[in-house]
């Protein structure tokens, strides 16, 4: 099977031919620099054997092309904007049976539809793959929905639902740089917040590549960063992720205060919960490691204590 795409019209030519302009209401910014997509896929280190690559929001398909040219055998893209269907169908025809797309919204799509689409690709026409050993979720996410999508996926990771029920899962996702900074910030780093704790309760999260705003059309006001998240090999979550999320939201609403003051303002008798979990009450929310937040969330659930 040929693992390189035939020569295709450039992405810029295709967007001009089909008169495709980015829609501001969908927060679209097209990635046009092949050097950038090559770098992203190279640094992502995706294991492609018996793996399904799921791309969210492919748009005109430059990142999709890069995955296919790097040997991906099973690629499914989920695109909300039907204007891109002719370009994606053209890429499907050129992919030698390795690619297909679904027009739909990743926020509410049935993940079994994605998996079935992957299993039914011509690259698996012999039916040898009954289930994928790995799923790699990749995407240049629209900035206005990137955080809600990530939060949904983190909850699914915690419950091993949908595509996240596969033994080997990774997410390689593009965010605004400041959002990427928050996702990856560890204890005592100033960007640390609710999203840091939520992400790191279930995943290792680290930045792999910064992307300049000039790499996009239209050019956004801020740079972007690519973050990779992989489920923790040694889980630290001991409660529902919903309890951790509620806890993180509660403390980071008053991020400049010491935890002792935050808990005392809620209920003076609750300050002792911090010490029971090994948390120094004089710390501020950003200074506490994620594992200790997970311990506190477990204690809250065990004692059926409801946060305000």
């Amino acid at each position: 099977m040929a693992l390189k795409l035939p020569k295709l019209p450039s992405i810029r030519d295709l967007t001009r031919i089909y008169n495709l302009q980015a829609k501001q209401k969908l927060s679209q910014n097209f990635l046009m620099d092949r050097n950038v997509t090559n770098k992203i896929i190279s640094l992502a280190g995706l294991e492609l054997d018996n793996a399904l690559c799921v791309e969210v929001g492919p748009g005109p398909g430059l990142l999709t092309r890069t995955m296919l040219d790097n040997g991906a055998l099973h690629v499914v893209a989920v695109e909300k904007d039907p204007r891109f269907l002719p370009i994606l169908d053209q890429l499907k025809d050129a992919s030698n049976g390795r690619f297909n797309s679904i027009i739909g919204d990743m926020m509410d799509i049935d993940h079994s539809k994605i998996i079935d689409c992957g299993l039914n690709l011509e690259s698996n026409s012999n039916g040898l793959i009954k289930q994928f050993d790995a799923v790699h979720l990749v995407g240049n996410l629209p900035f206005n929905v990137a955080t809600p999508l990530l939060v949904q996926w983190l909850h699914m990771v915690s419950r091993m639902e949908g595509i996240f029920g596969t033994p080997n899962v990774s997410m390689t996702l593009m965010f605004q740089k400041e959002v990427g900074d928050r996702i990856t910030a560890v204890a005592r780093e100033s960007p640390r917040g609710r999203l840091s704790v939520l992400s790191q309760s279930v995943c290792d999260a680290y930045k792999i590549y910064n992307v300049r705003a000039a790499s996009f059309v239209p050019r956004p006001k801020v740079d972007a960063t690519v973050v990779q998240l992989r489920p923790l090999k040694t889980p630290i979550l001991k409660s529902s992720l919903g309890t951790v999320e509620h806890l993180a939201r509660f403390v980071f609403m008053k991020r400049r205060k010491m935890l002792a003051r935050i808990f005392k303002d809620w209920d003076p008798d609750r300050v002792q919960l911090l010490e029971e979990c090994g948390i120094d009450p004089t710390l501020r929310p950003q200074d506490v490691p994620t594992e200790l937040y997970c311990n506190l969330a477990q204690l809250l659930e065990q004692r059926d204590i409801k946060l305000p």
Side-chain angles (χ1 to χ4, degrees), residues 64-121:
T64 325
R65 291 187 184 192
T66 307
M67 284 192 287
L68 290 166
D69 272 336
N70 277 268
L73 291 173
H74 316 286
V75 182
V76 173
V78 180
E79 174 56 61
K80 185 176 182 178
D81 189 344
R83 295 181 303 151
F84 292 106
L85 189 57
I87 292 179
L88 296 175
D89 279 347
Q90 182 183 98
L91 188 53
K92 174 186 174 181
D93 292 341
S95 71
N96 200 12
R98 296 182 290 141
F99 169 73
N100 204 350
S101 62
I102 300 170
I103 299 299
D105 188 340
M106 194 65 189
M107 283 293 292
D108 54 31
I109 194 169
D110 183 345
H111 282 209
S112 64
K113 185 175 181 181
I114 299 172
I115 295 170
D116 288 345
C117 185
L119 291 173
N120 289 324
L121 288 169

Side-chain angles (χ1 to χ4, degrees), residues 23-34:
K23 286 187 176 180
Q24 187 174 5
K25 69 177 182 179
L26 295 179
S27 192
Q28 290 175 334
N29 299 94
F30 304 150
L31 195 52
M32 292 293 197
D33 189 335
R34 181 62 184 253

